[in-house]
Amino acid sequence: MRHGPKNCTLIIAEATLPLAIREFPQARLLCVPGESASLLKGFLPLWWREREKLSADHYEQFFCLRHQRDPYHEMIVSWIATDQLIKLERATYPITALPALCTELIAHQRVVEIALGHSINPAQILTQFKTQPTRKDGRLLVYPLSRDSQRCLPITKTIAALRLWRNRSRAPIIFSGSLAEAQILAEYRQAAQQAKIEHVGLELPVSLSALVEQIAQAGVVLTVETAAVHIATALDKPTIAVLGGGIYGLCYPWRRSQLQLPVHHHLPCFGCGWRCTETEQFCLTQLTPAMIADALPAL
């Protein structure tokens, strides 16, 4: 931070507060809900609760690092009193991702460069944890679910890939995700047990901090495009990310090192926004269990 953390305010989603306190102990933190579902249930209550808090101070600069903004986020931005608002619009948003840098991170880089008035090394804007220690506990953590059903890893494909991987490794396999996903994750574990895959467990972190801690200890992480893949990459863990093509390159893949490996079936239509015009979603259906298993290290 050019101005020093004591002179900076971070506006963050409520769920990230425990991590922000650890990572930015000297900065001032203002929390808002991460998203809003509707005008009556979200916008208006937020206006009553948060507007005065967010508009009470005047800032020299306001860096907006939320590039995919809906009306809810635009409303929050409009409440900030600042001499200089630095944000990207649709016309200035990067078009093409780089092999190790998604467009969201390239957008972060552009915002910072505008503010500083000079170019910066992309490595300077890569997400990382400074306070979280890591080690390798020899386990394979599997996070097969995403909020977007199209990005979830199907049970049958997951189990088939793990059966192939079992031929090379006896390491424990742990299915994981949020508490709300407990029932369906239990189905993954049951399917693995029915397939005679041994040493399979289920662990559900109770908070975002617990999820970070769990991933920090992992031997390898197998996941789709969900929170786990970004946490694992930020921690520079061995990470196998199984990706479809709908929003490929927008938020992932990015990487801190060669330990992060995307698995995908590349097609010219990548970036369709999940508006598929084919008879089936070939970017997903052509991802084979063997492709996933071959990418996983033996542990």
Side-chain angles (χ1 to χ4, degrees):
M1 296 182 181
R2 182 176 66 176
H3 300 291
K6 292 182 179 180
N7 299 313
C8 293
T9 297
L10 303 180
I11 301 174
I12 59 174
E14 293 170 340
T16 65
L17 179 60
L19 294 179
I21 291 173
R22 281 172 40 187
E23 294 291 318
F24 307 102
Q26 294 181 305
R28 181 184 179 217
L29 304 174
L30 294 180
C31 293
V32 297
E35 56 188 14
S36 175
S38 68
L39 175 64
L40 292 178
K41 293 183 178 180
F43 282 37
L44 293 181
L46 181 70
W47 190 90
W48 286 109
R49 292 194 319 267
E50 309 290 351
R51 185 177 186 274
E52 184 176 357
K53 177 178 71 177
L54 293 177
S55 61
D57 298 310
H58 190 97
Y59 300 96
E60 178 184 333
Q61 291 180 314
F62 176 35
F63 301 75
C64 181
L65 297 177
R66 181 79 187 216
H67 312 298
Q68 309 301 322
R69 298 182 298 274
D70 59 23
Y72 166 73
H73 301 112
E74 294 287 10
M75 178 182 68
I76 291 177
V77 170
S78 72
W79 292 344
I80 308 301
T82 181
D83 294 331
Q84 184 184 21
L85 171 59
I86 305 170
K87 65 176 182 176
L88 296 189
E89 304 292 353
R90 186 183 299 272
T92 54
Y93 187 83
I95 298 174
T96 305
L98 299 175
L101 209 62
C102 60
T103 56
E104 281 289 275
L105 288 178
I106 297 173
H108 286 2
Q109 180 183 0
R110 288 187 181 179
V111 166
V112 175
E113 288 178 341
I114 292 170
L116 298 179
H118 61 77
S119 61
I120 63 170
N121 189 310
Q124 294 178 264
I125 49 84
L126 293 181
T127 306
Q128 59 181 305
F129 291 93
K130 295 183 178 180
T131 63
Q132 178 63 58
T134 62
R135 66 182 181 89
K136 295 183 179 180
D137 62 11
R139 304 190 304 171
L140 171 63
L141 295 185
V142 184
Y143 302 87
L145 302 178
S146 170
R147 289 199 306 175
D148 184 344
S149 61
Q150 293 171 300
R151 290 186 283 177
C152 294
L153 194 56
I155 289 180
T156 54
K157 189 169 293 187
T158 303
I159 302 309
L162 293 176
R163 287 187 66 184
L164 292 173
W165 181 70
R166 252 303 172 250
N167 295 328
R168 295 186 289 114
S169 177
R170 306 301 301 171
I173 298 170
I174 303 297
F175 287 102
S176 189
S178 69
L179 292 174
E181 297 166 337
Q183 182 175 351
I184 188 168
L185 287 169
E187 295 175 10
Y188 279 80
R189 180 180 60 177
Q190 182 179 16
Q193 293 170 338
Q194 290 174 345
K196 308 301 182 183
I197 301 175
E198 299 180 342
H199 310 300
V200 179
L202 175 63
E203 292 182 7
L204 302 175
V206 297
S207 66
L208 180 58
S209 294
L211 175 62
V212 173
E213 177 70 24
Q214 181 190 51
I215 293 173
Q217 311 307 314
V220 176
V221 173
L222 170 62
T223 182
V224 292
E225 191 170 344
T226 187
V229 76
H230 297 287
I231 294 170
T233 303
L235 291 166
D236 199 21
K237 301 295 292 185
T239 305
I240 308 304
V242 184
L243 307 173
I247 56 172
Y248 188 91
L250 175 64
C251 297
Y252 209 83
W254 63 279
R255 63 172 181 250
R256 295 201 62 84
S257 72
Q258 298 299 320
L259 293 175
Q260 294 82 51
L261 179 64
V263 175
H264 61 272
H265 177 68
H266 200 276
L267 296 169
C269 54
F270 264 36
C272 70
W274 296 116
R275 295 182 292 272
C276 187
T277 59
E278 302 295 332
T279 55
E280 60 183 81
Q281 292 176 312
F282 291 109
C283 65
L284 298 175
T285 60
Q286 296 302 306
L287 284 169
T288 67
M291 292 168 64
I292 300 169
D294 290 346
L296 286 168
L299 277 178

